[in-house]
Amino acid sequence: MTRIRTENLGGATAWILHRPHPSVQGLIRQLGVIGLEAREAWPELSAAAIAADFIFYDADMGHDEQFPWSPGQSPMPMIALIGSEAPGRLRWAMEMGAHAQLLKPMSDKGVYAALLVARSNFDRAKASEALITDLQNRLSARQTIVRAVMIFVMQGKTEAEAYDLLRQTAMTWRVTIETAAERLVANHSNERGTDDGRHIDLA
């Protein structure tokens, strides 16, 4: 379970990507009360925004080109500022990767909660991405091991003998079984054009 961080937000930086509007000044004041440094940008984010802790963005007039990253790939929590409930606008706000939202007209209500919710959802999303990447890497490694074992099986070994030989090869090379399997599979692919991959160099 991802732990929700609720500690003081003082010192964090928030960029507000929104056209000039009186309600934006209210948001800036409230962020200051919470302890964040607020910066404004329009019509697009500055390159310096890549280091921001939070991004507030206009869901009503925003578009993809305003951001220096691909939709849904923000390196920080994103909070959508929503006035219009038109399906197309809401869909775009979600596609950009909204981790929380504030409804317009903006006031001093709900800002702190939106910050905490956005950061919590962002942390959860990143944890899920890391888990998926790890599982994909493990699956890929297992598939490579199976392919390496099959190379020895094609040489007449039983599966048990093939796996034991793969383990011995890894020990000889002083690498992990996964790395040994990758090398064997790569060698096999390179040698197939000359001798059908029947020679495995253990040196």
Side-chain angles (χ1 to χ4, degrees), residues 96-130:
M96 284 310 302
H99 300 100
Q101 67 180 39
L102 280 176
L103 297 179
K104 300 177 186 179
M106 291 172 284
S107 69
D108 59 353
K109 304 297 183 183
V111 177
Y112 181 65
L115 289 166
L116 292 184
V117 170
R119 189 168 63 180
S120 176
N121 287 335
F122 177 81
D123 288 346
R124 289 176 185 273
K126 290 302 179 184
S128 295
E129 290 175 7

Side-chain angles (χ1 to χ4, degrees), residues 137-138 141-142 144-145 166 170 175-183:
N137 290 339
R138 290 185 183 184
R142 289 180 182 178
T144 302
I145 289 174
L166 173 60
V175 297
T176 64
I177 289 180
E178 292 80 5
T179 299
E182 290 177 2
R183 291 183 184 178

Side-chain angles (χ1 to χ4, degrees), residues 33-128:
V33 170
I34 297 172
L36 283 80
E37 177 184 353
R39 300 178 183 177
E40 295 181 76
W42 191 262
E44 60 186 26
L45 284 173
S46 162
I50 198 74
D53 296 292
F54 297 91
I55 298 290
F56 291 80
Y57 66 101
D58 185 8
D60 299 332
M61 298 184 66
H63 53 86
D64 294 359
E65 290 72 21
Q66 292 179 302
F67 301 88
W69 51 75
S70 301
Q73 300 298 316
S74 66
M76 74 289 289
M78 300 268 284
I79 301 172
L81 303 174
I82 299 175
S84 170
E85 294 189 354
R89 285 283 85 193
L90 292 176
R91 182 169 55 252
W92 177 82
M94 297 302 104
E95 289 174 349
M96 284 310 302
H99 300 100
Q101 67 180 39
L102 280 176
L103 297 179
K104 300 177 186 179
M106 291 172 284
S107 69
D108 59 353
K109 304 297 183 183
V111 177
Y112 181 65
L115 289 166
L116 292 184
V117 170
R119 189 168 63 180
S120 176
N121 287 335
F122 177 81
D123 288 346
R124 289 176 185 273
K126 290 302 179 184
S128 295

Side-chain angles (χ1 to χ4, degrees), residues 145-158:
I145 289 174
V146 170
R147 292 176 62 189
V149 167
M150 292 309 299
I151 291 173
F152 293 126
V153 170
M154 288 187 297
Q155 296 176 349
K157 305 293 184 181
T158 66

